Amino acid sequence: MFMSREAAFFADLGAGPRLEIAGGTVTGTDHLALGRPNQDAFAFRAEGGCLAAVVCDGCGSGARSEVGAALGARLVTEQVLGALRRGGDLESPETWEEVRRGALAPLRTMAVGMGGSLAEVVSTYFLFTVVGLAISGDRACAFSLGDGLIALGDDLLRLGPFPRNEPPYLAYGLLDRPPGGEAPRFTVHRAFPSSALRTALLGTDGAIDLLESSSRQIPGGGGAVGPLSRFWEDDRMFANPDAVRRRLALINRAVTRPVWKEERMEREGGLLRDDTTLVVVRRAQSARD
């Protein structure tokens, strides 16, 4: 089963852990103000005892980078699964080079087929970051190419920011002269036994706003935003396929209400300036009991 929109499902990894997975995304307030679309995407899939889950963030200066993010989420997920099914070692640079090349191949075909300047096509459509989780048998790892956020239980990894707010992008590998002179590679940040996985959260860089807003109040009432752990501790996030998106939308809603004594209207804006996308993973209830 391939999930790339608001979704929640169970992943049974055979002899490995049975996991619950959910995802959601909302458009940032800065993008809403400019009339721009959500340039984030996510995807996850389990097959043959393996799991791959990723979130992707399109480059903000790319006019149509939501295209690349949506394609990239699916392509990277499929390439990770393919490499693992073929016996790839999660901790081997060769495995991640196989994933990188495998994801770039269809992007190259599309970019060349669109005509015109390859550099212009890539910068307009195909620049996106990747943050992911992979599981194969008794091993698991968290990986990325670009900025974002990874939480493995209490272990929090903030990826970036990069100089001049210019993270590396997978699609730079399509260019003869990529920025920095070398095509970016995937980084494995943590590798661990899959039996040790209890919870994981993958976030695009907009999730940093979410993290830093934990003590703030949700616009229009509804209590505090709360810690990231709410997304994996709340059973509703996994019971309703739209629950993660709804929670993010609540945090990011704009509310206008009257201040009667001052005879004016007060507007309270959403708390997430950038597009924010999460994939949340936890061990299934029966496995946690």
Side-chain angles (χ1 to χ4, degrees), residues 1-13 21 43-48 50-53 74 77-78 81 85 241:
M1 188 176 187
F2 216 130
M3 292 294 183
S4 55
R5 300 188 67 188
E6 290 74 29
F9 85 133
F10 286 97
D12 194 338
L13 302 184
I21 310 175
F44 47 79
R45 189 158 80 88
E47 182 178 276
C50 301
L51 168 75
R74 292 285 296 249
T77 298
E78 186 59 30
L81 281 178
R85 288 195 302 264

Side-chain angles (χ1 to χ4, degrees), residues 1 3 7 19 27 35 53 67 78 120 145 162 164 174 188 199 205 207 210 236 248 259 289:
M1 188 176 187
M3 292 294 183
L19 303 173
T27 308
V67 174
E78 186 59 30
E120 184 272 331
L145 201 167
F162 290 87
R164 301 181 300 280
L174 300 175
V188 173
T199 64
D205 66 345
L210 180 65
R236 292 173 296 182
L248 292 173
V259 181
D289 291 339

Side-chain angles (χ1 to χ4, degrees), residues 264-284:
R264 64 180 178 86
M265 300 296 290
E266 181 178 76
R267 186 181 186 278
E268 189 175 3
L271 306 182
L272 307 174
R273 295 182 57 190
D274 197 3
D275 302 336
T276 302
T277 301
L278 303 179
V279 166
V280 190
V281 182
R282 73 177 185 181
R283 205 170 269 270

